[in-house]
Amino acid sequence: MSVAGLRTAARETVSGLPREFWWLWLSTLVNRLGAFVATFMALYLTLDRGYSASYAGLVAALHGLGGVISSLCAGVMTDRLGRRPTMLIAQLSTAVSVAVLGFMVHPFAIAGVAFLVGMASNASRPAVQAMMADIVPPKDRVRAFSLNYWAINLGFAVSSAAAGFIAEYSYLAGFIGEALMTLVCAVLVFVKVPESRPAQAPVKTVDGKRAKDEVRLTTVLRDGRFMGVVGLSFLVSLIFQQGYVGLPVAMGADGLSSSDFGTAIAVNGVLIVALQIPVTRFIQHRDPRRLLIISSLLAGYGFGLTAFAGSVAVYALTVCVWTLAEIVNAPTQTGLVVQLSPAQGRGRYQGVYTMSWSVAALVAPLMSGFVIDHYGAAWLWGACAVIGTVAALGYWLLMRNLPREETPGEENVPEPAPVPAQARPDQAEPDPAAAVAAAVVVERAV
């Protein structure tokens, strides 16, 4: 393709999205540029503080457990308080808790604050995804989610390199730096992103009593098709997590060094940054059912091929395969969640969906450790291939009757009559209540 063609493709990929989306996208990028805790927590605890690897694992587990709990709570907050207040609370809470964590020295204090950091840092995800679904037209949602995922990985790639140099100077500087970057995200959200939550559904009379049509958490849990998607999301994310828990162990067992693992896993970030936008153009108008089936198989068999790897080059090749699956799966699955979610319950639905990834992050280390210790790494990669096949079959069964062009989650929920600052996100005025909440509470973003 010519340079002019590439420019045209890039312009078409980023054009036509609402201004509010780009402020939200920028806040995501800034937030990921400041990521430090998730990347260097284990090194900080073992090298700087002198704690054991077992203690570092416990702290990481508590951090993940906090994310599991906050996924559900933040989903409810997103629907009840609004997207903007929830993001502000999460961002400010993260900034404060990360800064405090840098000053903790007692092991119980570190573990407790790490749990709070896990809760705060994951709390904004349902709100961000729900707001994107609110402000982006259905035809552009896969493209929007792809661009947001690209920002996450671009920010993480840059921050990982920068954080390494910062850690050599001072781990505390890394904690303070992340807190400051998260505060910048909070300011961006507060100043530039208006509330987008749809107005409440009309009040109905039921048996002489007034009642509201409200999507509750129990409504989400009783949604069979959606919970099936959540279960399949858990299986797929369980596979992807092995790139960070099972892969380094297997490469070490093959006599490869940590730098060799760094070289192989760097391929993941490079490919996502390089291919996310062009792949988005290819998939954005294609059948999500086929994309999810294909990406599940690519993920499973990409890791399955690792059983035959013995050199850095072959390991890097397998990373290429499952990274392509990740590029396709992440935005497509997020778009499917929106499609299955009623407009007034998007926060709760996104919260439950986010929880599937948090739970996988807890289970994956236990799974890889048990299988490798008792059966060997080859069995772990074989299990990944089987799980990917099961996930692909599950998507085929669940999505057989899913309409192609409709958004089932919204078609049965009457859109509210135009309400000032609610029905039109692009003309929304900043919510005064959110401004008060932002001055009193604490929070963070993706």
Side-chain angles (χ1 to χ4, degrees), residues 13-377:
T13 299
V14 301
S15 64
L17 294 171
R19 179 171 54 89
E20 292 82 2
F21 165 79
W22 289 110
W23 285 114
L24 205 58
W25 181 91
L26 181 61
S27 72
T28 297
L29 178 62
V30 171
N31 181 74
R32 297 308 296 173
L33 285 171
F36 182 84
V37 172
T39 308
F40 285 90
M41 175 62 79
L43 292 176
Y44 166 69
L45 293 175
T46 54
L47 298 181
D48 191 67
R49 291 295 183 183
Y51 292 113
S52 66
S54 297
Y55 174 76
L58 172 63
V59 171
L62 288 172
H63 184 276
L65 180 61
V68 172
I69 295 173
S70 70
S71 297
L72 297 178
C73 297
V76 175
M77 288 173 60
T78 296
D79 288 335
R80 289 191 174 179
L81 297 181
R83 284 65 160 137
R84 185 169 176 255
T86 301
M87 282 190 284
L88 285 170
I89 293 170
Q91 290 166 346
L92 293 174
S93 298
T94 301
V96 171
S97 58
V98 165
V100 170
L101 181 59
F103 291 96
M104 295 295 100
V105 293
H106 193 280
F108 286 112
I110 292 174
V113 177
F115 173 77
L116 296 177
V117 171
M119 287 191 67
S121 61
N122 283 276
S124 65
R125 292 179 181 176
V128 169
Q129 292 167 341
M131 179 172 276
M132 285 188 179
D134 294 338
I135 64 180
V136 176
K139 65 184 179 64
D140 294 325
R141 282 177 184 157
V142 170
R143 180 159 59 103
F145 288 131
S146 293
L147 288 168
N148 191 64
Y149 189 67
W150 183 75
I152 291 172
N153 284 278
L154 177 62
F156 183 76
V158 174
S159 68
S160 296
F165 292 103
I166 294 173
E168 290 184 2
Y169 169 73
S170 169
Y171 280 95
L172 179 59
F175 286 103
I176 299 300
E178 178 167 346
L180 291 176
M181 295 292 275
T182 306
L183 282 176
V184 172
C185 292
V187 171
L188 281 175
V189 169
F190 179 73
V191 174
K192 294 294 185 179
V193 182
E195 178 56 62
S196 66
R197 181 180 56 162
Q200 292 295 320
V203 176
K204 293 184 178 180
T205 301
V206 181
D207 295 332
K209 297 181 180 180
R210 293 169 68 82
K212 273 193 226 178
D213 281 346
E214 182 181 3
V215 177
R216 300 181 180 276
L217 193 56
T218 53
T219 308
V220 182
L221 298 177
R222 288 198 301 264
D223 187 335
R225 171 177 279 177
F226 175 76
M227 291 307 297
V229 170
V230 171
L232 296 174
S233 169
F234 166 76
L235 293 180
V236 173
S237 58
L238 194 63
I239 296 173
F240 287 133
Q241 288 291 331
Q242 298 307 324
Y244 306 95
V245 293
L247 186 61
V249 175
M251 292 184 69
D254 281 344
L256 300 173
S257 67
S258 57
S259 62
D260 291 329
F261 167 71
T263 300
I265 202 64
V267 174
N268 174 257
V270 171
L271 284 180
I272 290 175
V273 172
L275 298 181
Q276 187 71 64
I277 291 179
V279 170
T280 295
R281 284 175 51 80
F282 178 77
I283 70 172
Q284 62 180 333
H285 298 305
R286 297 183 184 274
D287 186 353
R289 294 165 292 190
R290 293 182 180 177
L291 294 175
L292 290 171
I293 290 171
I294 293 171
S295 62
S296 298
L297 292 173
L298 280 176
Y301 287 95
F303 276 98
L305 289 173
T306 310
F308 303 99
S311 65
V312 177
V314 179
Y315 275 111
L317 181 62
T318 65
V319 172
C320 291
V321 177
W322 59 259
T323 296
L324 183 59
E326 185 180 356
I327 291 172
V328 173
N329 181 274
T332 305
Q333 188 149 250
T334 306
L336 176 63
V337 171
V338 174
Q339 187 176 0
L340 296 176
S341 309
Q344 294 173 347
R346 281 178 180 148
R348 289 174 172 85
Y349 273 75
Q350 290 289 352
V352 173
Y353 165 66
T354 302
M355 185 187 67
S356 68
W357 286 82
S358 300
V359 173
L362 280 177
V363 174
L366 301 176
M367 169 185 166
S368 61
F370 177 82
V371 174
I372 291 175
D373 286 345
H374 289 81
Y375 304 102

